[in-house]
Amino acid sequence: VMSILLHGDAAFAGQGVVYETFHLSDLPSYTTNGTIHVVVNNQIGFTTDPRMARSSPYPTDVARVVNAPIFHVNADDPEAVIYVCSVAAEWRNTFNKDVVVDLVCYRRRGHNEMDEPMFTQPLMYKQIHKQVPVLKKYADKLIADGTVTLQEFEEEIAKYDRICEEAYTRSKDNKILHIKHWLDSPWPGFFNVDGEPKSMSCPPTGISEELLTHIGNVASSVPVEDFKIHSGLSRILKARSEMTKNRVVDWALAEYMAFGSVLKEGIHVRLSGQDVERGTF
């Protein structure tokens, strides 16, 4: 499994979550063993110029915080893009660290149907209108090299157009939207094939008092013999032991019993975060 994240240039520089994720990237409990970040850098954020959007030269400079290699590549050169992406994949598989591919490109039309970029970036868009589209540029090169013929190229385009047209036609026949088609996973334990809940009632989750007492006793004991623990902790454990004996629980012990009962069934429980690990609440 390889993790790939797709970003926009303005978002990569502007979203705090990007910086936070880089700092999680090499932590033992959170690492994905290297994510490939692909930045579609069309050099504009809706209507915002880069000089108004960030203080660093490149949108990808935030990745330097973990010394991730950053490849800036001309997106009008598909072969260079493929080359850079294979180097990025090799880096990730060799070192298991994050890597960034900065696709330097442009946005031919507006941000959405309502946006006319000639209003806000007239000079940039005069240049863009003069740009030969990448598909034509690359096709001309391949035809000139004799790699493909004009007929092969046109057949390939027609094939792709046909896929889109057929899908569009089919979409008009869809009268009902099924939620299940939009779920990432069908959750076979919860839903049947039609996406309906298998059962509207929950199985009983109660456990015997004997088991609760056992968990309470384990939760208030020290797992290693002759282990000197902090006196403050030993007071907490003693109070917990008393509560178990007196058949009362507070939030922390109730949480312990919940975790303990799940563990007893052989289900893995992962605690992350300092407050949770310490049982602050």
Side-chain angles (χ1 to χ4, degrees), residues 17 20 58 69 82 99 101 108 113-114 126 149 156 172 191 205 215 230 243 246 249 259 273:
V17 70
E20 291 161 19
Y58 295 100
I82 292 296
V99 52
V101 175
R108 189 165 285 279
E113 293 81 353
M114 304 298 289
K126 273 183 187 155
T149 64
E156 207 54 46
K172 292 178 177 176
F191 300 104
T205 55
I215 296 168
H230 192 286
M243 279 197 292
N246 299 331
V249 289
F259 290 145

Side-chain angles (χ1 to χ4, degrees), residues 50-273:
R51 66 199 165 91
M52 298 296 184
R54 60 175 187 268
S55 301
S56 65
Y58 295 100
T60 49
D61 285 334
V62 65
R64 289 162 64 175
V65 74
V66 292
N67 285 333
I70 302 165
F71 298 104
H72 305 286
V73 60
N74 175 5
D76 261 7
D77 183 346
E79 289 180 15
V81 171
I82 292 296
Y83 177 75
V84 158
C85 288
S86 64
V87 173
E90 207 174 316
W91 162 275
R92 187 267 178 191
N93 286 344
T94 307
F95 301 107
N96 296 124
K97 300 266 199 249
D98 283 29
V99 52
V100 179
V101 175
D102 177 23
L103 298 176
V104 183
C105 55
Y106 59 91
R107 185 189 71 196
R108 189 165 285 279
R109 309 197 190 285
H111 177 79
N112 56 29
E113 293 81 353
M114 304 298 289
D115 176 34
E116 172 46 80
M118 283 298 282
F119 293 164
T120 48
Q121 273 79 19
L123 299 179
M124 182 187 197
Y125 273 81
K126 273 183 187 155
Q127 285 294 110
I128 286 173
H129 291 323
K130 290 180 201 161
Q131 283 281 112
V132 179
V134 62
L135 178 62
K136 178 161 172 35
K137 200 181 278 188
Y138 191 48
D140 290 349
K141 175 183 179 293
L142 293 180
I143 292 164
D145 291 350
T147 310
V148 295
T149 64
L150 179 61
Q151 187 189 347
E152 284 172 323
F153 167 67
E154 285 172 347
E155 281 171 4
E156 207 54 46
I157 295 295
K159 193 164 88 183
Y160 181 71
D161 281 347
R162 199 162 55 248
I163 291 170
C164 295
E165 285 300 331
E166 284 171 3
Y168 178 57
T169 309
R170 279 200 312 277
S171 73
K172 292 178 177 176
D173 298 334
N174 272 355
K175 300 287 184 281
I176 305 167
L177 273 180
H178 292 286
I179 297 294
K180 64 172 182 205
H181 294 155
W182 301 89
L183 285 174
D184 283 350
S185 57
W187 287 27
F190 294 93
F191 300 104
N192 61 25
V193 285
D194 295 325
E196 296 301 320
K198 276 193 172 171
S199 159
M200 292 309 280
S201 59
C202 290
T205 55
I207 53 174
S208 68
E209 185 173 342
E210 189 187 351
L211 185 54
L212 287 175
T213 308
H214 167 74
I215 296 168
N217 290 335
V218 170
S220 53
S221 63
V222 182
V224 184
E225 267 185 66
D226 303 325
F227 186 76
K228 187 112 175 67
I229 63 163
H230 192 286
S231 57
L233 278 182
S234 95
R235 271 199 307 279
I236 291 170
L237 293 181
K238 195 159 179 254
R240 193 178 284 163
S241 172
E242 287 297 312
M243 279 197 292
T244 306
K245 213 175 287 172
N246 299 331
R247 302 170 76 236
V248 282
V249 289
D250 60 5
W251 281 110
L253 183 54
E255 195 171 57
Y256 243 113
M257 286 176 167
F259 290 145
S261 66
V262 173
L263 286 168
K264 282 287 279 181
E265 289 181 17
I267 296 166
H268 178 71
V269 174
R270 173 178 178 236
L271 297 179
S272 74

